[in-house]
Amino acid sequence: MSSRSGSTRGYETSSQSHDHSASPPVPESSDTETEGLVFYHMDLYGSKERFDIFPEELSGRGDRSLGDMRRESAISSEKVQRPQEVGYDLEKEVAELAKMYGLDEDREKELELLGGHLDKVESRWPPTRTEKAGSQDSIYNTSKSSSSVNDPNQSTKQQGLPDEVSQGENQSKARADDEAESNIWSRGGLSSGGMSDEWNSQAVSEEEEEEEEEEEAADVFCSTCKIPIRAFDKLFGEHKDHEVAQLPSALESEKEEIHKNMCKLEEQIAQMENVASHLEEIFITVEENFGRQEQNFEVHYNDAVQVLAQKYEEQLEALGEEKRQKLEALYEQLVDCGKHLDTCKELTDETQELLLENDKAEFMKAAVTMVDRLEEFLKKEVDLELSTLPDFEERVIDVSEVEQLMNSINAVPAPCAPVINPQAPNAATGTSLRVCWGLFSDDTVECYQLCYKPVSHERDSDGQAEHTLKVKETYCTITDLLPNTQYEFWVSALNASGISPPSERAVYVTAPSPPTIKNKKIQSCENAVLVCWESRDINPVDSYTVELSKLTDEENDDIITESIVGIPNCEVLIHLQPTQKYRICVRAQNLGGSSERSEPVLIHTTGTCFYLNEDTAHPLLAILDDGFTISCDELENPECDLPIYDNSFTRCIAILGSLIPFPGKHYWEVEVEEDTEYRTGVAFENTPRHGHLGANNSSWCMRHIITPSRHKYEFLHSGMTPDIRITIPPRRIGILLDYENCKLSFFNADIAQHLHTFNTHFQHYVHPCFALETPGILRIHTGITTPPWTALP
C-alpha cells in the first residue's frame, strides 16, 4: 500500500457520515499500513487528540480557540465559493485541499473531470445572494440529514445529553459542518449528488438554450468572415461594415462551389492516378537503368583505379630505383672519402714521427721516402663534388588514360565478354575450322571480333601473326589453315560504346593431312599384310584408321568391309583371307577429326611379298629400279672406301630383305645365272655384317661356286654343309620358310626338285638374304603362290 491508501482511508471515514463514498469502505486494520508510515483518521481533525499528535500546529496556532478555527474554515470555504470575486485560482485551491486530505493521486483524474465543467461553473459565478444562501443551506441541510440518516442514534444521544456537555456538542456539530463543507469543495463538485449535480444540469440547460438562440438568430451569411450571423449583428454588431448575403442563397452558392471543386478534384484524382501509374513504370525503369549504370560506373571505376594503381606502382618503383642509385653513389663516395682521410691521417702521423727523429742519417733516409710518398699522394685528384644531388626528379602520374576511361562512360555500357565454346567433334577439316561462341547477357551487340593465331611451343611464340575477322553471327568458319595444326582463338563483342573484354582463349586443331603409304615397304603373305605409312604433318597425330575394301572381279566398288581404328604407330599387321584382292587406305585422327583417305594400295594375298632393305646393302651392291633385282659389277676390292651405313655388310657383298613377321609358310624364288656365284637363304636381324652368310649360327644359306671340274652347291650353317651333289644346275631357286614346322627348304623350281631342307627352330623371325660373290645379277620374285609340290616329301 502507498500513501494513496492512507489518504483513501481518511477520505472514506469522512464520507461514510455523508453517504457519498466514491469507493467501497476499507476496513481499518493495521495490516494495510505500510512499514514506516502511520495513518490517522480524519475524525481527529481539529480535536485535541490531533494536537497531541501534531504539537507543532498547536504552537503555530497560538492561543486560538476552536471557534476561531471554525470561523477561519468558513471564510476559506467562502473564498472557494467565490474565486472570481477575490481572485482565487480554483485549481490551486483544489490542489491544496487534496494535498491537505491526502488526495494527491486522485488530483489528475479529478481535474480532468472538472475541466469539462469548469468554464460553465465559472460562468455562473458570482451567484445571487439568495442562490448562495439557498445553496449553502441546502448543502448544510443535506449534510446534516445525511449524517442523521447514517447514524440514527445520534439524535437520541443528543436529546439525552446533559447540559454540561452542550458546549462539546456544539463544537462537534461545528466540526462536522466544517468537514462536510470542506469535503464538498475539495471534491470540486464531482460527487454523485449535491451542489455539483445542480450546477452541471443548470450549465447544460443554459448551453442548450444559448445554442438554440444562436441557431434561431443566424439568418444571414457574412461573406467577409465566412460565418453565419444574425441580422442584428449586421446592424449593430461587429459585422456592421461587412458584406452579407441571405443564408439560403449563400448556401446554394457554397454548394455549387463545392460541386465544382468536387468535379475538379475528381479530374485531378484521375490525372494523379495516371501520373502515379506512369511514375511507377518510370520508377522501375529508373531502378533498372540505375543498376546498369551502377555496374557500368563500377567497371569503369575499377578500371580507372587499376590504371591509377599501376601508374602509382610504376612511379613508386622508379622512385625507389632512383633512391637506390643515389644512396649507392653517396655511399661509394663516402667510402672513398674515408679511405682518403685515413691515408691522410696515416701520412700525417708518419711525418710527425719522422720529425722527431734525432739521427740525421736515418732522418734523411726516411725523409726521401716520405717526400716521394707525399708527392705521389698529393698528385691524386680528390673529387670533392657530390656524386649525386639530394633532389629527386619530378614525377607526374599520367592520368590521360584514366580520363579516357571516365569519358568513355555512356548510357549503353560496353558488352560483357563472350564465352567461346570448346571444339565440337567433326568441326574441322585439314584446312578449315568452325568456331562457335555465345553471349550470356542482355547486352546490345553490333558485331563480334574473332582473333586467332597458330599455337607455337617455342619461346618466341609471341611473334606469331594474329588474324582478325568481324562477323555478325556467333559462329565462323575459318579456311586456308594448315593441317594438323593448333590454333588459338578468342572473341570480343562490339557496340557503339566500345568493345568487350576478350573471352577466354580456346585451342582448336585442324584435321591431319592424309598419310602416305610406303608401297615399297608393304609386306604380305597369303593370310596377312604389314602396311607401313608416314605422316605428312609436322605435329604428331593421335591415331590412325585403316580401311579395307575387298574387291571381286565382278565389282571393283570401294566398299568398306572393315576398319581398324586406334592404331598408334605408322604400321599395322592385318590378317586377311587367302587369294583375295584388297584395297587399303589409311586416315589420320586427332581432336579435330579425321583426315581424308590416303592414296589406296592394292594387296593380293597370293603369296609372300617383301622388299629389299637398302640400309643393309654392301656399297658395291646395286638395287635396280624394279626394287627386286640386285647386281654387282666388280669384286676386286670388296673392302672399298665407299660410304658404309652402320647396318651394312662390309665383307660379304650381301643385302637383307625385310623381316617376315608372319607365322606360317612363306615362299619366294630367286632367278640366277649359271656362271654367277651367289648365296641366298635367311638370317636373323643380328647376323654379323663383317662376315659371310652361312658362316655363323645366325644365318642359313645355299651357296653356288664354280670349280674347274663342276658347279658346286653348299648348304651352309655355322660354316658347315652336307655333302650334296646336284647334277642339274638350277636357274630358278624356290625357297620355302615354314615357321610352324621349323623348316627351311630349297627347290629347283624349274623341275620341281627338292634340293635340301634345314630342320631348325627359329627363335626369332628372319630376313631373306642375298649375296653375290662374282659379278652378276640376282632377280627376286615375291607374291608367288606356294607350289603344291613343295608339300611332297
Side-chain angles (χ1 to χ4, degrees), residues 70-82:
R70 183 163 167 263
R71 283 191 296 272
E72 290 178 1
S73 177
I75 294 172
S76 176
S77 300
E78 186 177 358
K79 289 179 180 180
V80 173
Q81 293 173 3
R82 293 177 297 173

Side-chain angles (χ1 to χ4, degrees), residues 91-262:
E91 293 184 12
K92 184 176 181 181
E93 186 69 18
V94 170
E96 291 178 358
L97 291 173
K99 184 175 182 181
M100 181 181 296
Y101 290 98
L103 301 178
D104 296 330
E105 297 181 2
D106 293 337
R107 178 187 176 191
E108 182 177 354
K109 182 176 180 180
E110 292 170 352
L111 289 178
E112 181 180 357
L113 296 174
L114 180 62
H117 305 285
L118 189 59
D119 295 338
K120 300 175 183 178
V121 173
E122 289 180 354
S123 63
R124 301 288 298 167
W125 292 93
T128 59
R129 294 182 180 275
T130 305
E131 291 176 351
K132 178 180 178 183
S135 298
Q136 292 177 353
D137 293 340
S138 176
I139 293 170
Y140 178 77
N141 293 332
T142 302
S143 176
K144 183 177 180 181
S145 61
S146 299
S147 178
S148 299
V149 171
N150 293 334
D151 194 358
N153 297 325
Q154 184 177 1
S155 60
T156 305
K157 291 179 181 180
Q158 289 177 353
Q159 291 178 1
L161 290 173
D163 295 339
E164 59 265 20
V165 295
S166 59
Q167 184 177 358
E169 292 177 355
N170 292 334
Q171 292 177 356
S172 300
K173 181 178 180 181
R175 185 172 65 253
D177 292 341
D178 293 341
E179 291 178 358
E181 186 176 356
S182 300
N183 185 31
I184 291 172
W185 290 115
S186 66
R187 297 297 296 170
L190 298 178
S191 61
S192 61
M195 179 181 66
S196 177
D197 294 338
E198 294 178 2
W199 286 351
N200 290 339
S201 59
Q202 185 177 357
V204 171
S205 60
E206 289 181 358
E207 183 177 357
E208 292 176 353
E209 290 176 358
E210 290 177 359
E211 290 178 355
E212 291 177 357
E213 290 178 358
E214 290 178 358
E215 291 177 358
E216 293 175 358
D219 51 1
V220 294
F221 181 76
C222 179
S223 302
T224 304
C225 299
K226 302 296 182 181
I227 58 174
I229 62 173
R230 299 177 300 175
F232 179 81
D233 295 333
K234 168 61 180 172
L235 297 176
F236 304 103
E238 58 181 355
H239 304 281
K240 181 178 180 181
D241 298 330
H242 296 177
E243 182 180 355
V244 297
Q246 293 296 325
L247 193 60
S249 60
L251 180 62
E252 292 298 328
S253 177
E254 289 297 327
K255 286 183 177 181
E256 184 178 358
E257 187 68 24
I258 291 174
H259 179 69
K260 291 180 181 179
N261 292 334
M262 285 294 294

Side-chain angles (χ1 to χ4, degrees), residues 530-546:
L530 178 64
V531 182
C532 298
W533 61 87
E534 62 182 358
S535 175
R536 295 164 51 188
D537 300 317
I538 300 176
N539 299 321
V541 299
D542 295 341
S543 63
Y544 296 92
T545 299
V546 176

Side-chain angles (χ1 to χ4, degrees), residues 704-768:
H704 170 241
I705 58 176
I706 302 175
T707 65
S709 59
R710 63 184 177 91
H711 293 273
K712 185 178 181 179
Y713 294 91
E714 298 176 344
F715 296 91
L716 299 172
H717 176 65
S718 299
M720 298 178 65
T721 178
D723 186 11
I724 299 176
R725 292 179 180 269
I726 300 175
T727 58
I728 302 174
R731 300 292 301 271
R732 194 178 184 98
I733 303 171
I735 302 173
L736 177 63
L737 174 65
D738 190 351
Y739 281 119
E740 294 180 357
N741 296 317
C742 303
K743 292 181 179 182
L744 176 65
S745 301
F746 295 88
F747 299 91
N748 185 344
D750 291 334
I751 60 175
Q753 181 186 12
H754 175 259
L755 301 178
H756 180 70
T757 297
F758 289 100
N759 293 303
T760 182
H761 177 69
F762 297 104
Q763 297 178 354
H764 307 285
Y765 290 118
V766 296
H767 296 258

Side-chain angles (χ1 to χ4, degrees), residues 420-435:
I420 195 165
N421 299 339
Q423 184 172 359
N426 301 321
T429 65
T431 58
S432 66
L433 285 170
R434 180 181 175 87
V435 184

Side-chain angles (χ1 to χ4, degrees), residues 507-645:
V507 176
Y508 282 51
V509 59
T510 54
S513 301
T516 301
I517 297 178
K518 299 178 180 180
N519 294 325
K520 293 184 178 181
K521 293 189 176 182
I522 293 178
Q523 299 173 250
S524 65
C525 63
E526 292 182 352
N527 54 12
V529 64
L530 178 64
V531 182
C532 298
W533 61 87
E534 62 182 358
S535 175
R536 295 164 51 188
D537 300 317
I538 300 176
N539 299 321
V541 299
D542 295 341
S543 63
Y544 296 92
T545 299
V546 176
E547 298 176 350
L548 288 82
S549 302
K550 188 175 182 180
L551 305 178
T552 62
D553 295 336
E554 291 78 12
E555 57 178 0
N556 291 328
D557 296 337
D558 191 5
I559 301 175
I560 305 299
T561 59
E562 184 179 357
S563 294
I564 304 173
V565 299
I567 303 172
N569 302 320
C570 291
E571 64 178 25
V572 63
L573 179 63
I574 308 171
H575 293 279
L576 305 175
Q577 296 177 0
T579 66
Q580 299 292 331
K581 293 181 181 180
Y582 292 91
R583 179 183 285 116
I584 297 178
C585 300
V586 182
R587 294 177 184 266
Q589 304 282 341
N590 65 4
L591 292 176
S594 175
S595 70
E596 298 294 330
R597 291 179 182 175
S598 66
E599 291 293 331
V601 294
L602 295 177
I603 301 297
H604 299 270
T605 57
T606 55
T608 300
C609 294
F610 57 85
Y611 64 91
L612 298 177
N613 190 349
E614 298 180 3
D615 295 339
T616 63
H618 189 278
L620 296 179
L621 193 66
I623 302 174
L624 300 186
D625 294 338
D626 61 359
F628 292 95
T629 302
I630 61 175
S631 65
C632 180
D633 296 334
E634 58 178 343
L635 296 177
E636 295 180 357
N637 186 14
E639 298 180 2
C640 60
D641 296 333
L642 295 176
I644 298 176
Y645 298 102

